[in-house]
């Protein structure tokens, strides 16, 4: 579904991505794990068109994503839940959700999708008139995911959804990602929390200093010694 | 006398408010102190004057000509002076704004001449007195036009799709892009609206003082800046409030203290507000939640 090939990205003089390649099959959950500054977020930003790579190709369903501006990439169904949620703090919950549907014109289906989001996150429904900035961290993450669902994603990319959240909330969020995937949504999950990400995902890629160090089935990566030492804190 | 000064102040304040709104909107979207805004206001006055005297148009078409002409200038500036340096450090953008201001002032001198041009008298200026308020026809027109424009603006920002896109872009441009918002278009639209409001203020001032001159935007731009900061920069209701406070205190200050201090009063208020509430009256202090 998504094919990333030999991606090279520079930030000023810094070589942030050094020839990253990976593939996502339809219906799967793929995770990119790695430490701080490894290039996970940069990879997502490049796919979303917020960063222009020096070299490489990104193909989504045989379309070259590098040729289209970021606002049109969303229209293609490649939707990102950015790091740190980035919800609109001065808009209320429902307005935030409706911003996700900004490009859509199918009013009836939008209403159905809104109900769908409220079904997945009943807490958002309770707070629909509350300003985004007054929500707790977990609720903001739910809102960010809900907003992305409103964009009708075919590929949902999540950047560190567990960041700064209590373990019980993280569990809730990951349940929801699983639920969405069970309903047919393809997911690209970027995580520092390798343990929880690999438990959920089908396929895992490990990024180190801008390169894919190794990859494999998520279940086997969980048992891999290199992963256990570097990311799961085991001896 | 107090009542007269108060209505002077309100008229002046509505003009400041209109100018400040354009200023604060541009800041809200691209975090640029748009020093060219005062000159857009001047361009508005000159376009309208050209409509009235050279083209012989009636008042309302000339007024619209001023607004439309200046908004085209605003969008062209955004396109050719600002967008090439959008991604550069903010200081480059600021320098471009100052350069554009110098350009427009000299452009106006070249086209319309450096001397003060008089605005024709189109409206018979009568004085009305309502509930002890004394206001002239022109003051009432200024107030009415300002209120109407602010209502239109509020409608656009609050209830249209483009307005919602504007609010999102000003809160978080990148997140807005991730929603599929064409942020470039939002930026140009903001310049268009901001410039047309600034131009309306310029035309109203031209009618009020019956004069237009190439440097008329300089103090106006500074005062718009001060009004925007007083109200909380980036905040539209704040800019209106800031403008009104400035206009009223300037008029009252000029009447009761000394008219020589007229322009200084604006800056005294600014210093006071910055000491007491640095984010401005309606401004929010930035709080970060991690």
């Amino acid at each position: 579904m998504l094919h990333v090939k030999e991606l090279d990205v520079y930030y000023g003089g810094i070589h942030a991505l050094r020839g990253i390649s990976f593939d996502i099959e339809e219906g799967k959950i793929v995770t990119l794990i790695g430490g701080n500054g490894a290039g996970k977020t940069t990879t997502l930003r490049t796919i979303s068109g917020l960063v222009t790579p020096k070299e490489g190709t990104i193909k989504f369903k045989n379309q070259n994503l590098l040729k289209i501006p970021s606002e049109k990439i969303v229209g293609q169904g490649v939707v990102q839940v950015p790091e740190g949620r980035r919800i609109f703090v001065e808009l209320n919950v429902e307005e935030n959700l409706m911003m996700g549907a900004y490009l859509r014109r199918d009013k009836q289906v939008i209403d159905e999708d809104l109900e769908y989001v409220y079904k997945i996150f009943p807490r958002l429904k309770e707070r629909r008139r509350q300003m985004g900035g007054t929500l707790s961290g977990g609720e903001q993450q739910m809102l960010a995911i809900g907003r992305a669902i409103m964009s009708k994603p075919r590929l949902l990319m999540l950047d560190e959804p567990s960041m700064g959240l209590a373990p019980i909330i993280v569990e809730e969020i990951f349940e929801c990602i699983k639920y969405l995937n069970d309903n047919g949504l393809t997911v690209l999950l970027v995580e520092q929390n390798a343990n929880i990400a690999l438990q959920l995902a089908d396929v895992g890629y490990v990024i180190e200093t801008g390169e894919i160090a190794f990859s494999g089935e998520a279940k086997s990566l969980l048992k891999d010694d290199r992963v256990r030492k570097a990311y799961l804190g085991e001896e | 006398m107090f009542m007269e000064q108060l209505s002077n102040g309100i008229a002046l304040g509505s003009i400041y408010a209109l100018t400040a709104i354009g200023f604060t909107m541009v800041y809200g979207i691209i975090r640029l102190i748009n020093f060219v805004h005062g000159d857009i206001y001047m361009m508005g006055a000159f376009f309208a004057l050209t409509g009235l005297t050279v083209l012989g148009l009636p008042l309302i078409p000339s007024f619209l000509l001023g607004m439309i002409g200046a908004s085209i200038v605003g969008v062209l500036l955004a396109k050719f002076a600002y967008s090439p340096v959008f991604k550069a450090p903010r200081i480059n953008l600021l320098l471009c704004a100052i350069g554009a201001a110098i350009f427009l002032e000299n452009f106006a001198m070249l086209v319309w001449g450096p001397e003060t041009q008089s605005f024709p008298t189109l409206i018979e200026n009568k004085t009305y007195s309502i509930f002890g308020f004394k206001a002239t026809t022109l003051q009432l027109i200024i107030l009415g036009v300002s209120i109407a424009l602010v209502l239109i603006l509020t409608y656009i920002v609050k209830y249209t799709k483009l307005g919602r896109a504007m609010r999102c872009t000003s809160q978080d441009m990148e997140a807005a892009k991730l929603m599929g918002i064409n942020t470039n278009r939002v930026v140009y639209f903001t310049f268009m609206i901001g410039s047309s409001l600034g131009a309306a203020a310029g035309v109203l001032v031209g009618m009020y003082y019956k004069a237009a001159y190439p440097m008329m935007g300089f103090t106006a731009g500074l005062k718009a800046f001060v009004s925007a900061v007083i109200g909380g920069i980036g905040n539209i209701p704040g800019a209106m409030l800031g403008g009104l406070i400035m206009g009223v205190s300037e008029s009252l200050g000029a009447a009761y203290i000394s008219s020589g201090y007229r322009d200084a009063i604006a800056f005294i208020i600014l210093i006071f507000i910055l000491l007491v509430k640095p984010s401005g009256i309606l401004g929010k202090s930035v709080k970060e939640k991690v």
Side-chain angles (χ1 to χ4, degrees):
Chain A
M1 187 181 211
L2 184 85
H3 304 283
V4 175
K5 226 170 159 185
E6 300 289 329
L7 218 51
D8 259 299
V9 174
Y10 289 83
Y11 279 136
I14 299 157
H15 199 171
L17 297 187
R18 305 160 186 264
I20 291 230
S21 303
F22 63 92
D23 298 294
I24 299 173
E25 268 178 63
E26 189 146 14
K28 293 270 160 77
I29 300 182
V30 173
T31 182
L32 298 179
I33 55 175
N36 263 336
K40 306 183 301 289
T41 297
T42 307
T43 308
L44 286 200
R45 288 169 59 84
T46 314
I47 298 173
S48 279
L50 298 174
V51 179
T52 317
K54 190 149 190 254
E55 215 100 38
T57 56
I58 302 174
K59 268 200 174 154
F60 178 72
K61 302 211 166 196
N62 292 323
Q63 240 181 342
N64 187 351
L65 286 194
L66 294 180
K67 287 250 165 73
I68 36 186
S70 52
E71 67 267 10
K72 297 236 166 80
I73 290 177
V74 182
Q76 294 296 319
V78 178
V79 180
Q80 183 182 158
V81 179
E83 185 175 6
R85 281 87 71 167
R86 307 284 282 267
I87 56 159
F88 300 110
V89 290
E90 284 167 43
L91 261 54
N92 70 29
V93 168
E94 194 152 307
E95 286 172 321
N96 261 286
L97 290 172
M98 291 312 287
M99 282 323 289
Y102 182 76
L103 289 176
R104 298 172 55 189
R105 310 235 175 277
D106 44 346
K107 194 158 176 345
Q108 264 183 336
V109 194
I110 292 176
D111 289 341
E112 282 167 28
D113 284 352
L114 190 63
E115 283 313 308
Y116 179 65
V117 170
Y118 283 149
K119 200 185 98 201
I120 305 174
F121 302 115
R123 238 185 302 170
L124 293 183
K125 189 167 191 174
E126 285 164 29
R127 296 174 191 241
R128 61 207 283 183
R129 301 268 169 255
Q130 212 171 305
M131 286 292 145
T134 64
L135 299 181
S136 73
E139 287 160 351
Q140 288 192 2
Q141 187 65 59
M142 293 173 192
L143 180 55
I145 295 175
R147 189 179 63 178
I149 295 171
M150 295 302 291
S151 308
K152 262 238 169 310
R154 293 199 274 177
L155 170 65
L156 181 67
M157 307 190 290
L158 298 130
D159 196 352
E160 303 265 7
S162 75
M163 192 170 72
L165 301 182
I168 186 161
I169 308 284
V170 173
E171 217 166 283
E172 208 175 309
I173 300 278
F174 274 65
E175 290 274 309
C176 144
I177 298 171
K178 187 164 167 21
Y179 175 78
L180 291 170
N181 177 250
D182 287 341
N183 282 295
L185 186 61
T186 315
V187 175
L188 173 58
L189 173 66
V190 158
E191 259 301 334
Q192 275 197 49
N193 187 339
N195 189 22
I196 186 164
L198 288 173
Q199 279 178 23
L200 179 74
D202 300 300
V203 181
Y205 288 84
V206 179
I207 303 194
E208 275 165 11
T209 56
E211 285 172 290
I212 303 280
F214 47 96
S215 62
E217 288 221 357
K219 302 287 168 293
S220 63
L221 283 182
L222 264 179
K223 296 189 196 96
D224 191 296
D225 278 345
R226 294 167 295 184
V227 176
R228 295 175 76 93
K229 266 202 188 127
Y231 301 106
L232 302 178
E234 289 174 21
E235 281 304 311
Chain B
M1 159 130 133
F2 174 78
M3 283 306 184
E4 270 166 52
Q5 288 307 328
L6 194 62
S7 35
N8 273 342
I10 291 174
L12 195 61
S14 345
I15 289 171
Y16 288 156
L18 278 185
T19 326
I21 288 170
F23 205 100
T24 220
M25 280 171 79
V26 167
Y27 183 85
I29 297 274
I30 56 171
R31 307 282 178 266
L32 162 71
I33 310 286
N34 189 14
F35 279 118
V36 84
H37 196 61
D39 299 298
I40 293 279
Y41 154 109
M42 172 272 291
M43 294 295 277
F46 270 112
F47 280 132
L49 185 61
T50 307
L52 286 170
T53 54
V54 181
L55 307 176
L57 296 172
L59 178 61
I60 291 173
S62 303
F63 201 108
L64 291 177
L65 179 73
M67 286 176 73
I68 293 167
S71 65
I72 292 172
V73 173
V75 173
L76 288 178
L77 282 177
K79 174 101 187 124
F80 294 107
Y82 300 154
S83 80
V85 288
F86 267 169
K87 286 187 179 149
R90 289 289 102 162
I91 187 78
N92 300 17
L93 203 55
L94 193 66
L95 290 174
C96 282
I98 294 171
I102 297 170
F103 168 77
L104 282 188
E105 283 156 16
N106 287 282
F107 178 82
M109 283 191 218
L110 204 65
V111 175
W112 291 290
E115 58 286 316
T116 303
Q117 314 242 347
S118 66
F119 244 77
T121 311
L122 296 154
I123 289 163
E124 204 190 330
N125 212 2
K126 280 188 275 187
T127 308
Y128 301 89
S129 133
I130 324 144
F131 307 122
F133 264 101
K134 283 219 171 83
T136 65
T137 319
L138 265 176
Q139 287 172 342
L140 292 175
I141 289 176
I142 289 173
L143 191 62
V145 170
S146 306
I147 291 173
L149 288 175
V150 164
L151 287 179
I152 294 172
L153 175 76
T154 312
Y155 174 79
I156 292 175
V157 171
K158 276 218 153 128
Y159 300 107
T160 67
K161 203 165 181 182
L162 208 48
R164 242 175 299 143
M166 272 169 78
R167 281 188 288 156
C168 288
T169 308
S170 84
Q171 284 174 42
D172 188 335
M173 189 179 278
E174 227 168 50
K177 277 187 186 161
L178 291 176
M179 300 299 104
I181 295 170
N182 184 339
T183 50
N184 277 333
R185 212 155 66 197
V186 171
V187 169
Y188 294 139
F189 181 70
T190 307
F191 270 93
M192 195 185 100
I193 302 264
S195 302
S196 60
L197 291 178
V203 185
L204 289 173
V205 160
M207 287 165 59
Y208 195 42
Y209 294 122
K210 303 208 172 16
Y213 51 100
M215 296 305 288
M216 71 190 277
F218 182 72
T219 348
L222 276 182
K223 289 197 181 150
F225 175 54
V226 174
S227 311
V229 172
I230 289 177
I233 195 150
N235 183 311
I236 295 176
M240 295 191 247
L241 186 64
L244 279 177
I245 290 176
M246 288 246 317
V248 170
S249 48
E250 245 186 66
S251 292
L252 294 182
Y256 290 102
I257 303 169
S258 156
S259 60
Y261 284 113
R262 179 168 258 245
D263 289 339
I265 289 164
F267 297 99
I268 294 170
I269 299 174
L270 175 69
I271 292 168
F272 176 74
I273 295 281
L274 288 180
L275 286 174
V276 181
K277 194 164 183 293
S279 55
I281 299 173
L282 297 184
K284 291 175 199 79
S285 47
V286 183
K287 53 172 184 264
E288 296 227 334
K289 198 167 181 184
V290 182

